Amino acid sequence: MDGHGVYVWSVVVVSVLVCAGLLVLPARSARRFIAGLSEGEAPAPQAAPSVRIEEVNNAPGS
Amino acid sequence: MWTWFHKLGSPPWMYRISGRILAILLPLTIAMLVVGAVWGLLYAPMDFKQGNSFRIIYFHVPASVVALAGYYVMAVAGAVSLIWRMKMAEVAMKCAAPVGAALTFLSLLSGAIWGKPTWGTYWVWDARITSMLILFFLYLGVIVLYQAYENKEAAGKACAVLSLVGMVNIPIIYKSVDWWYSLHQPATIRFTEESAMHSSMLQPLLLMILAFYCLFTCALLLNMRSELLRRGASTSWVRGLAVN
């Protein structure tokens, strides 16, 4: 590569790592999630409730 | 047409159809990446000015082009989620951000490495490079903003607004090399006139750009599938997947 090999091949290595990461990480995350469900692990809550319990209790008619 | 659009909003349907698309697209993408990289690195002729360092173009240009296109995807998904309150669009917006950030990072890093043998420096505060850095921060901003909110509905709205506001940066990136004096070379591939590259160099580059578009699609779909599983953890269709 006429002295440019270190630049070219370092870009190739980084590109391979980024491309592999983009494909492998989400696929592995999904597989682990399904495996966790199969083993009966409780799913983590996704979001805090948008309405607080006190607000529900204080609502008219409650 | 509208039936298909409505089906897009159904998580089980989306999960199933994305699995079918990935079964075809993923091997095709990997094959295109391998063929394009080998073609560009080993068989394309050497540039008479830059020598072999020009071969970085086969990773730098595709990553940059798709990083910009990814922002369009994220912003359009954000607009759809704001206007039609479509949850699947919010999922797409959220999942496009890390993929776009990774490709922008690759574009910046490969550009910096290419800069050393070409310009004699890794970094200059040039209009094109700085606007790409802003694009990277916009992607990171969407990721961080989504995590910052506890209320995910509000998070989705805030991220959609941020991604739409960030669209201002896209034409600046495209036109930066024309508007300001820049070390960065002008566009290599032109649609309105003859390309600045010889076809023997251009063909592997076009293949790599197509491969990176497919890579973006695959990564986006994989991220969306993972996100749909997490969001639907307590639903019967996800439980059904675990049983099977």
Side-chain angles (χ1 to χ4, degrees):
Chain A
M1 289 266 177
D2 300 328
H4 291 150
V6 66
Y7 303 111
V8 176
W9 293 115
S10 56
V11 167
V12 173
V13 169
V14 173
S15 302
V16 169
L17 289 175
V18 170
C19 294
L22 282 175
L23 299 176
V24 172
L25 294 179
R28 202 167 60 177
S29 156
R31 213 175 303 129
R32 276 187 185 164
F33 188 85
I34 292 176
L37 281 180
S38 309
E39 288 163 14
E41 285 175 21
Q46 274 297 294
S50 53
V51 179
R52 284 185 300 182
I53 292 164
E54 301 91 75
E55 288 171 3
V56 174
N57 290 338
N58 295 337
S62 63
Chain B
M1 168 70 188
W2 286 110
T3 319
W4 184 81
F5 191 70
H6 283 292
K7 273 183 182 175
L8 266 180
S10 158
W13 186 85
M14 187 64 194
Y15 188 86
R16 205 169 47 245
I17 204 76
S18 60
R20 283 186 203 157
I21 294 169
L22 281 167
I24 300 163
L25 194 60
L26 197 53
L28 200 66
T29 303
I30 294 167
M32 280 195 291
L33 283 170
V34 171
V35 171
V38 170
W39 190 357
L41 289 170
L42 304 179
Y43 295 103
M46 191 172 76
D47 185 76
F48 83 103
K49 269 188 187 167
Q50 297 186 40
N52 278 311
S53 69
F54 116 93
R55 294 182 198 283
I56 294 173
I57 202 172
Y58 295 112
F59 300 91
H60 175 72
V61 170
S64 310
V65 167
V66 180
L68 286 173
Y71 200 89
Y72 281 124
V73 172
M74 189 175 78
V76 168
V80 171
S81 77
L82 270 183
I83 298 164
W84 287 295
R85 314 223 165 184
M86 194 176 170
K87 285 282 170 204
M88 196 59 70
E90 192 196 304
V91 171
M93 177 192 66
K94 189 198 167 205
C95 295
V99 184
L103 290 174
T104 313
F105 169 76
L106 180 59
S107 162
L108 286 167
L109 189 67
S110 58
I113 295 171
W114 196 3
K116 186 65 180 166
T118 313
W119 303 332
T121 179
Y122 287 107
W123 188 267
V124 280
W125 289 102
D126 175 280
R128 170 62 68 87
I129 302 167
T130 309
S131 52
M132 275 307 276
L133 185 65
I134 292 169
L135 181 76
F136 183 57
F137 289 144
L138 281 167
Y139 274 127
L140 291 186
V142 170
I143 296 167
V144 172
L145 192 62
Y146 199 89
Q147 301 299 328
Y149 277 86
E150 273 191 41
N151 183 340
K152 293 304 172 195
E153 199 175 320
K157 279 182 191 168
C159 291
V161 171
L162 176 63
S163 56
L164 284 170
V165 170
M167 281 290 284
V168 173
N169 190 39
I170 304 297
I172 295 173
I173 296 173
Y174 277 123
K175 300 302 281 181
S176 56
V177 285
D178 302 323
W179 289 344
W180 293 285
Y181 176 75
S182 170
L183 268 180
H184 198 283
Q185 68 184 62
T188 309
I189 303 166
R190 299 186 188 106
F191 295 106
T192 49
E193 50 193 289
E194 202 180 334
S195 173
M197 283 180 98
H198 189 264
S199 61
S200 57
M201 295 168 165
L202 186 63
Q203 286 161 3
L205 180 60
L206 292 176
L207 180 64
M208 282 300 273
I209 291 173
L210 181 65
F212 267 69
Y213 268 113
C214 294
L215 173 76
F216 179 87
T217 310
C218 288
L220 177 64
L221 289 177
L222 285 166
N223 270 317
M224 284 178 73
R225 282 164 68 82
S226 183
E227 179 69 16
L228 289 175
L229 286 175
R230 250 177 266 126
R231 287 187 179 212
S234 53
T235 59
S236 57
W237 73 270
V238 174
R239 296 269 168 200
L241 288 173
V243 171
N244 295 331

